[in-house]
Amino acid sequence: MSVSLPPTSRDVARIAGVSQTTVSYVLTGKGAISPATREHVLKVADSIGYRPNLAARSMRTRRSGRLAVIMGVAFDNQMRMLSGASHVANEAGYVMETHSVEGTVEDRTERVLELAAGGQYEGILTFVPVLGSALSDGRDAPPVLAATAFDEQMRSVGELADAGLIEVFVRALVAAGHRRFVHVAGPQGFSSARARHDTYLATVKRLGAESLGVLGGEWPPETGRQAVLALPDDAPPVAVIAANDDLAIGVLRGAAERGWSVPGDVVVTGWDNARFGAYTMPTLTTVDVDFRAAGRHAMRLLVAALRGEEPPPQGDSLQHIVWRESTGRAGPPAASGT
């Protein structure tokens, strides 16, 4: 009776058409291996069922060449962050693997601790909240970096939820001659929506402008449409600060139904830089949030921790205004740099 032996790294090298040294470099993260070669070798290894003894190798070399990223339920913004993180990991010679973990913060913490104890990863990056017990400095376990960008409900937090550019919008519109404002708000359970609501109120008050109120409270475009339909007939000229682009496109629709011109009777700003904003009539002034840059920076922090290097600076802001036709002659204040 013959016994089928498990495939070895020599088998991977032979089938992939590379040297065993190259296979070793791919599996340990050493050497200057191109992303294409790395991907080819890993695909071959997977196709023949090769499973290196990662725990044993980690004891010998303390390297596996693999990094784990913890995320929640996948949606567009998280995928953008993963794209940025993956780019940096590949450039640094690592293979990045993602783990989508649903459930409570305790569930995610337990999963992170399992991954850290498994010996398969040199470092772990989490974009979602975990308990402090999951974090490590890398001395006795792989470093676990919490670059928390989303809360328990996968809503943006931290710098990604910063609302400072609402003040820039209001200031620019006041400078262009606008005195009456309305805020179409998002759900206040979102930290980003709360921040935009609070920044709007504080800025309008500080500049001595008139607020006709805070309307809305949900994200769909219909909320923006209904907000405009609810305004008094004498509201124009009025500047509408919408909490996102979906609300802003609803504002455009509501204004059209009332016979109000944009940007003549109404000006409007959005947030998120949705693709449709460049094609509305008029085109939509909005805020672009660079989730890919956030992912790149988070992964650079993890790589720096692995290499014992100083953490890199954040660099440019993750947010910037895209000025378009919906705000008329209002534009970037000279001193704002936006």
Side-chain angles (χ1 to χ4, degrees):
M1 178 178 177
S2 61
V3 177
S4 178
L5 297 175
T8 67
S9 61
R10 291 182 184 276
D11 297 322
V12 176
R14 175 176 53 80
I15 297 172
V18 298
S19 69
Q20 192 171 1
T21 299
T22 297
V23 173
S24 176
Y25 280 173
V26 168
L27 297 176
T28 62
K30 295 181 179 179
I33 305 297
S34 72
T37 298
R38 185 181 304 280
E39 182 178 0
H40 173 61
V41 170
L42 290 173
K43 282 184 177 180
V44 169
D46 184 65
S47 69
I48 67 173
Y50 174 67
R51 296 292 184 269
N53 187 339
L54 292 170
R57 187 177 68 220
S58 179
M59 291 176 64
R60 296 194 306 269
T61 67
R62 301 190 66 82
R63 297 201 64 182
S64 68
R66 300 166 69 189
L67 303 176
V69 174
I70 308 299
M71 55 183 287
V73 179
F75 62 97
D76 189 48
N77 290 340
Q78 283 203 53
M79 296 308 296
R80 291 176 185 173
M81 290 193 71
L82 287 172
S83 173
S86 177
H87 177 76
V88 171
N90 289 338
E91 281 191 334
Y94 293 96
V95 174
M96 189 189 89
E97 300 177 5
T98 61
H99 295 261
S100 181
V101 183
E102 300 183 38
T104 66
V105 65
E106 289 79 12
D107 295 329
R108 287 191 293 272
T109 300
E110 181 178 356
R111 183 59 175 148
V112 169
L113 292 172
E114 289 175 354
L115 293 172
Q120 297 187 28
Y121 297 105
E122 292 187 44
I124 300 172
L125 174 64
T126 175
F127 291 141
V128 291
V130 294
L131 300 176
S133 58
L135 306 181
S136 69
D137 58 11
R139 288 175 293 185
D140 300 315
V144 178
L145 175 66
T148 305
F150 305 96
D151 66 11
E152 287 290 301
Q153 285 73 44
M154 301 303 110
R155 301 172 298 198
S156 298
V157 296
E159 185 177 0
L160 293 173
D162 181 78
L165 292 183
I166 293 290
E167 179 175 354
V168 178
F169 277 148
V170 175
R171 286 187 176 277
L173 290 168
V174 167
H178 291 277
R179 292 294 178 269
R180 309 184 87 187
F181 287 81
V182 170
H183 179 47
V184 183
Q188 295 304 287
F190 287 70
S191 60
S192 57
R194 290 196 305 274
R196 292 165 202 172
H197 166 275
D198 294 347
T199 302
Y200 163 81
L201 289 177
T203 305
V204 168
K205 180 178 180 180
R206 184 162 53 249
L207 297 180
E210 179 186 1
S211 176
L212 299 184
V214 174
L215 306 175
E218 298 294 339
W219 290 128
E222 179 62 17
T223 302
R225 173 178 172 269
Q226 291 296 333
V228 174
L229 296 180
L231 291 174
D233 292 339
D234 64 351
V238 61
V240 181
I241 308 297
N244 75 354
D245 288 351
D246 283 347
L247 290 169
I249 200 171
V251 169
L252 293 177
R253 174 69 188 188
E257 290 183 20
R258 299 200 67 168
W260 294 347
S261 66
V262 180
D265 299 313
V266 179
V267 297
V268 58
T269 67
W271 198 287
D272 288 333
N273 197 21
R275 291 183 180 180
F276 61 72
Y279 301 95
T280 55
M281 289 289 289
T283 55
L284 181 62
T285 291
T286 185
V287 173
D288 183 73
V289 183
D290 196 341
F291 284 90
R292 288 186 179 86
R296 289 194 297 269
H297 179 66
M299 183 56 75
R300 289 187 182 115
L301 290 174
L302 179 59
V303 170
L306 288 169
R307 295 175 174 175
E309 300 172 349
E310 287 294 318
Q314 172 65 64
D316 295 335
S317 172
L318 297 177
Q319 303 176 347
H320 72 275
I321 293 177
V322 181
W323 294 97
R324 295 195 181 114
E325 297 165 348
S326 67
T327 44
R329 57 195 178 92
S336 74
T338 59

